[in-house]
Amino acid sequence: MLSGRAAIAGVGATEFSKQSGRTELRLAAEAVWAALDDAGLSPADVDGMVTYSQDANQEIAVARETGVGELTFFSRVEYGGGAACGTVAHAAMAVATGLARTVVCYRAFNERSGRRFGRPDAGLGGEPTSQGLEMSWHVPFGLVTPAAWVAMFARRYMHAFGATSEDFGRVAVTMRRHAATNPAAWFHGRPITLEEHQTSRWIAEPLHLLDCCQESDGAVALVVTSAERARDLRHPPAVVAAAAQGSGAGQMMMTSYYRDDMTGLPEMSVVARRLWEMSGLSPADVQAAILYDHFTPFVLTQLEELGFCGRGEAPGFVRDEGIGLDGRLPVNPHGGQLGEAYIHGMNGIAEAVRQLRGSAANQLAGVTNVLVTAGTGVPTSGLVLSTG
Amino acid sequence: MPVRIEADAELPELALDLTPTLVVSTALATRDFTPVHHDPALARAQGSADIFLNILTTMGLVERFVTDWAGPRAVIERIDVRLGVPAYAGDRLSFSGAVASSEDGRVTVRVRGRVSLGDHATGTVTLRVPDDLPEEDG
Amino acid sequence: MTDPEMTAEELHELARGQADLGEVRGAPAPDPVNAPMIRHWQQAMGDTNPVYLATGVAPPAMAQVWTMPGPGERPDDGSPVTDVLAALDRHGCTGVVATNCEQTYHRYARLGERLTPATRFTDLAGPKRTALGVGFFATWTVTWYAEDGAPVAEMLFRVLKFRPSETGPTTPYPLRPAVNQDTRFFWDGVEQGELRIQACADCGALRHPPGPMCPVCRSVARTHTVATGRGVLYSYVVHHHPPVPGRETPFAVGVVELQEGVRIVGNVVDCPIDKLEVGMPLRVTFRRMDDRLVLPMWTPEEA
């Protein structure tokens, strides 16, 4: 079993900005150094590197740049932001099986000042690979942006459950409120109101601008090693109580519109079942959830798929019980990707580690277990991280 | 020289320099006032290299090519033309032809009119030669 | 009002309607067959054949000349061909080139007789790929009648109306699908105005998007069914931002659940954005994006 075998011993990050002024490889190297410093390890201790698709920095390049020598394990996990927690899952597997002793997971990019993720890419459907063919049923119709792909699910969710744009807005307002008191957040000191959400311009109806996360420049790195070794390092370990990847039946990259139901996230259901089973925990046992929030509607869907409320009940859950710092389930105390930065989920994993250590900007009391999820609408992954 | 109307007999070639005068005068003689047949600037603005022959003229020239050979007693019954590349002013249009069949006074001639760009017109002309006699030339 | 962007299917419908009009008589020639015009014609052609003026007949290839419109006059006035050619223009097939001219002469027209043309639209074929671009072949016939009602000459005329592939208003549509042997049948279908849904030749399961192997029964024997083209809007988005190449914002994209049970994505067109509604009935329409791509789109089903 994987549970309890590996831990995150170090986290590191660059500043989060709209224009880093540095190359993506340099951002990666800076974050890796910061994570190693945080763990109290040196490049010589590292023998594994993991990142995920769309990262412009090859594992070997980051290793070269940081003075990491021989690698016995390297992996690049697929499906973009859906792989964020998958990097830790792969690293933990490598550590648990002895393939590597210390694995660095990283994400680095200039996705605001460089290649912008929110921009349409006309070439998405260009090549007859399986993904190009999949995109070819959507891209020719101008359905080319992540916001629009997600909006298609959101509209059906609204239709099925009577959800409204304000229900999405309450997620955004909460995330921005958290970011407002997190000095590392891009939107530090800049909360929003529900009215501002409602009057922000349309991106892809039913999504307003403030339903969409920002585009950021920055990097985050994590150091994964055995739980046993982690206990001897500088900080209390964030033990990997569970790690899972998940893909649903009939899964597509971001356009799984052809399955029976468009109101759920079956791939997140796969991850949820595995996480609760592997960790032996239940939704009632976590003190915080780091939910992937590139777009607000899928935060609602995740609350349902992960078992925090029933199907169609998330709007009421958010409105009446709350996902704020003092709510029934605090979600993304750092402000999430809507408020802190959009580093494809890696900054959320770092926040979970800080909450377990007790060193977060918006520190919650008595945190022993944190749930973390990765990109939604795509094949995804998740973690339960615990103290001890 | 007697005209031979057995199958495969070849028609004497007719080559015409497509002067602007020829293009314009034939267009007007066939009452085709479409500007591309007389207005070079407009023809070029529409993507043509120059003014070019109109179809009624092509049909007329095919008819002339065959009756020049078959003589005044020939009666033209049918002209089938497949139209190809344009015949622009400044080019040269050369007709060639051969008898495809000849039976009971009904003769079918294969015709081809070429310009520098390729075939301008290809097709067949069917005619009757009443006496079933070879036509005397001169 | 005519739809400014008729689909291929609608063009064929129009063409069938025009063909159903049968033979439509035009105005009689303004002048009877006459010697000056014959002489003018022969001189311009360099035709020295003496038989025409000697026997009082016109060169047969002049048949059409007698009824040509003058400068400034509208050609084909009242002809069943006019509407079809105009619709093809609006469809983007602004280029025209004649491909066939076949004339049959029942007899030579005589000096003094006045000919009357009658036009019959006979056929519209396409869209077809040609060297000039994608286009339609339109065919019609004209018969010239003498005053006694007997036909003097007949003509079959065929033109290619094409979408100019090099110059002109169309630029290549930038959002192109990748196509391979597993999906080509679909794109060939929309080019011909058919919405094809893959069907397993063994178990019959319908599947969209299509793929090489039936996930139900493992068969690689594939066929397709032509969908009725009717369905309901299952979900939709209205894209506003950022700009999308080849598109004007805002535009609507929907997931459509077909009567056949499968879902397909396409634009919802001819519908105000505030009238879009999950569950609304839709029917397919085929829109040409450039000379190589037709996309299936969806328009509200009228009640």
Side-chain angles (χ1 to χ4, degrees):
Chain A
M1 276 292 287
L2 191 63
S3 182
R5 301 282 297 278
I8 299 174
V11 296
T14 64
E15 81 289 0
F16 305 130
S17 74
K18 300 297 180 191
Q19 180 136 27
S20 71
R22 322 201 276 293
T23 64
E24 293 178 326
L25 184 56
R26 178 168 161 189
L27 293 177
E30 289 179 11
V32 169
W33 266 113
L36 289 171
D37 287 348
D38 183 61
L41 293 172
S42 77
D45 296 312
V46 177
D47 53 4
M49 300 286 275
V50 185
T51 187
Y52 44 124
S53 55
Q54 299 174 327
D55 200 295
N57 308 295
Q58 286 194 304
E59 302 85 284
I60 52 173
V62 176
R64 278 200 311 272
E65 216 54 34
T66 49
V68 168
E70 294 173 347
L71 296 175
T72 59
F73 175 74
F74 33 89
S75 169
R76 175 167 288 239
V77 187
E78 255 298 352
Y79 307 117
C85 296
T87 60
V88 176
H90 283 221
M93 282 195 291
V95 167
T97 56
L99 273 179
R101 272 170 55 83
T102 306
V103 181
V104 168
C105 308
Y106 65 91
R107 184 57 144 191
F109 46 37
N110 291 323
E111 71 164 14
R112 171 69 201 206
S113 64
R115 186 171 64 90
R116 295 183 63 172
F117 272 68
R119 282 286 159 84
D121 178 358
L124 279 174
E127 296 296 323
T129 59
S130 67
Q131 193 187 335
L133 289 164
E134 184 184 306
M135 288 289 178
S136 295
W137 305 109
H138 310 98
V139 167
F141 304 101
L143 193 64
V144 288
T145 61
W149 294 330
V150 171
M152 194 71 87
F153 290 102
R155 173 75 65 185
R156 187 68 197 180
Y157 183 89
M158 293 168 82
H159 174 80
F161 300 125
T164 66
S165 171
E166 293 195 348
D167 292 324
F168 303 150
R170 274 183 270 275
V171 174
V173 169
T174 308
M175 296 308 110
R176 291 290 292 269
R177 189 165 68 236
H178 294 175
T181 54
N182 170 11
W186 175 257
F187 287 116
H188 177 235
R190 284 184 283 170
I192 57 166
T193 64
L194 192 55
E195 191 187 356
E196 285 170 317
H197 169 272
Q198 288 293 293
T199 54
S200 66
R201 65 179 164 136
W202 289 120
I203 296 298
E205 290 180 55
L207 299 190
H208 289 278
L209 174 66
L210 292 176
D211 286 306
C212 309
C213 75
Q214 52 193 320
E215 295 164 311
S216 305
D217 287 8
V220 173
L222 312 168
V223 178
V224 177
T225 188
S226 69
E228 192 179 15
R229 182 157 174 246
R231 288 186 189 100
D232 298 333
L233 294 175
R234 190 169 286 169
H235 296 288
V239 176
V240 179
Q245 291 182 280
S247 169
Q251 182 77 47
M252 286 192 174
M253 180 66 183
M254 266 195 104
T255 53
S256 304
Y257 306 143
Y258 309 91
R259 307 189 285 206
D260 289 346
D261 184 11
M262 264 179 66
T263 61
L265 289 166
E267 55 281 355
M268 192 58 81
S269 173
V270 173
V271 168
R273 277 182 270 127
R274 297 282 295 159
L275 291 180
W276 300 134
E277 181 191 326
M278 192 182 295
S279 66
L281 301 173
S282 74
D285 299 320
V286 302
Q287 293 77 42
I290 308 295
L291 302 185
Y292 201 91
D293 60 336
H294 55 352
F295 300 101
T296 55
F298 278 159
V299 173
L300 301 181
T301 323
Q302 288 183 86
L303 289 169
E304 298 169 11
E305 293 289 4
L306 293 162
F308 293 101
C309 61
R311 186 55 61 86
E313 293 174 3
F317 183 94
V318 170
R319 188 180 59 237
D320 303 332
E321 305 189 54
I323 56 172
L325 299 175
D326 55 353
R328 160 99 174 272
L329 176 72
V331 171
N332 300 345
H334 60 313
Q337 309 193 86
L338 290 158
E340 186 185 62
Y342 181 43
I343 314 295
H344 285 191
M346 284 299 253
N347 51 320
I349 301 173
E351 169 68 7
V353 172
R354 287 190 297 264
Q355 288 289 343
L356 289 166
R357 290 179 181 177
S359 62
N362 296 319
Q363 182 62 48
L364 301 163
V367 177
T368 54
N369 300 303
V370 181
L371 173 77
V372 190
T373 61
T376 40
V378 292
T380 188
S381 54
L383 297 169
V384 175
L385 300 178
S386 303
T387 51
Chain B
M1 190 173 77
V3 170
R4 292 165 48 237
I5 53 173
E6 309 90 70
D8 297 334
E10 285 185 16
L11 277 67
E13 187 180 281
L14 171 66
L16 298 165
D17 284 323
L18 300 178
T19 61
T21 302
L22 187 145
V23 174
V24 173
S25 63
T26 52
L28 301 189
T30 54
R31 288 184 53 77
D32 187 340
F33 302 100
T34 314
V36 288
H37 304 308
H38 64 254
D39 184 336
L42 199 138
R44 289 189 189 108
Q46 293 189 7
S48 294
D50 204 328
I51 56 170
F52 52 91
L53 280 192
N54 66 327
I55 297 158
L56 283 80
T57 296
T58 302
M59 297 300 280
L61 291 176
V62 168
E63 181 177 275
R64 173 195 157 187
F65 169 61
V66 173
T67 54
D68 277 1
W69 161 76
R73 280 185 298 169
V75 177
I76 306 292
E77 292 189 332
R78 185 173 168 84
I79 304 176
D80 281 2
V81 166
R82 189 181 158 79
L83 295 152
V85 298
Y88 287 118
D91 208 336
R92 188 176 169 85
L93 175 59
S94 303
F95 285 102
S96 58
V99 175
S101 67
S102 174
E103 208 172 323
D104 299 333
R106 181 163 279 107
V107 181
T108 302
V109 180
R110 272 196 308 272
V111 178
R112 183 177 188 189
R114 267 184 292 187
V115 291
S116 62
L117 297 175
D119 286 339
H120 166 63
T122 52
T124 57
V125 177
T126 306
L127 61 153
R128 229 164 359 97
V129 183
D131 296 338
D132 196 21
L133 288 173
E135 192 66 38
E136 296 293 330
D137 186 357
Chain C
M1 252 188 61
T2 316
D3 183 343
E5 283 177 50
M6 294 177 100
T7 62
E9 198 183 2
E10 288 162 343
L11 284 167
H12 282 288
E13 227 166 86
L14 170 69
R16 276 193 296 276
Q18 295 304 97
D20 287 345
L21 294 175
E23 195 175 70
V24 178
R25 290 220 154 208
D31 290 299
V33 174
N34 63 81
M37 281 173 66
I38 294 169
R39 186 173 292 108
H40 181 188
W41 187 92
Q42 284 199 266
Q43 286 176 340
M45 294 291 161
D47 184 349
T48 55
N49 191 343
V51 73
Y52 306 120
L53 289 176
T55 59
V57 296
M62 276 189 81
Q64 193 179 358
V65 174
W66 305 112
T67 55
M68 286 290 279
E73 287 177 15
R74 291 208 312 139
D76 294 322
D77 197 19
S79 141
V81 179
T82 314
D83 284 352
V84 179
L85 298 186
L88 285 165
D89 277 336
R90 289 194 301 274
H91 189 65
C93 294
T94 51
V96 61
V97 60
T99 62
N100 297 81
C101 184
E102 302 173 6
Q103 298 185 343
T104 301
Y105 313 112
H106 298 292
R107 63 174 174 80
Y108 287 7
R110 290 187 278 270
L111 290 181
E113 68 182 352
R114 193 186 293 262
L115 301 179
T116 300
T119 307
R120 182 194 293 275
F121 187 83
T122 55
D123 187 53
L124 183 72
K128 292 188 175 175
R129 240 159 242 170
T130 75
L132 294 167
V134 169
F136 291 79
F137 289 94
T139 307
W140 62 90
T141 63
V142 182
T143 305
W144 285 273
Y145 291 97
E147 281 131 327
D148 64 2
V152 174
E154 288 173 40
M155 172 173 75
L156 176 149
F157 202 71
R158 182 173 296 134
V159 301
L160 167 65
K161 286 285 288 175
F162 62 97
R163 185 178 291 266
S165 54
E166 290 172 350
T167 56
T170 57
T171 50
Y173 179 67
L175 304 176
R176 312 206 72 83
V179 179
N180 75 356
Q181 60 175 325
D182 296 331
T183 67
R184 189 171 309 283
F185 76 96
F186 179 90
W187 299 105
D188 286 349
V190 294
E191 185 74 37
Q192 293 165 41
E194 289 184 357
L195 186 68
R196 296 176 178 175
I197 302 300
Q198 180 175 306
C200 175
D202 285 324
C203 78
L206 294 182
R207 184 184 184 200
H208 186 86
M213 185 179 286
C214 177
V216 177
C217 77
R218 200 167 145 176
S219 170
V220 293
R222 288 167 290 160
T223 179
H224 67 261
T225 182
V226 177
T228 58
R230 280 162 213 280
V232 297
L233 189 57
Y234 190 80
S235 190
Y236 67 95
V237 306
V238 180
H239 185 100
H240 291 264
H241 189 81
V244 174
R247 291 282 176 160
E248 277 182 25
T249 55
F251 60 87
V253 193
V255 173
V256 179
E257 191 156 85
L258 301 183
Q259 271 182 359
E260 288 79 5
V262 299
R263 292 186 204 142
I264 186 169
V265 164
N267 296 103
V268 185
V269 294
D270 305 332
C271 181
I273 279 163
D274 58 4
K275 295 281 184 280
L276 291 165
E277 201 180 349
V278 171
M280 70 190 291
L282 299 169
R283 70 177 166 80
V284 73
T285 176
F286 296 93
R287 298 293 159 99
R288 177 160 289 287
M289 308 311 288
D290 61 24
D291 62 355
R292 290 187 300 134
L293 182 66
V294 171
L295 292 177
M297 297 189 184
W298 300 88
T299 181
E301 175 93 85
E302 277 111 43

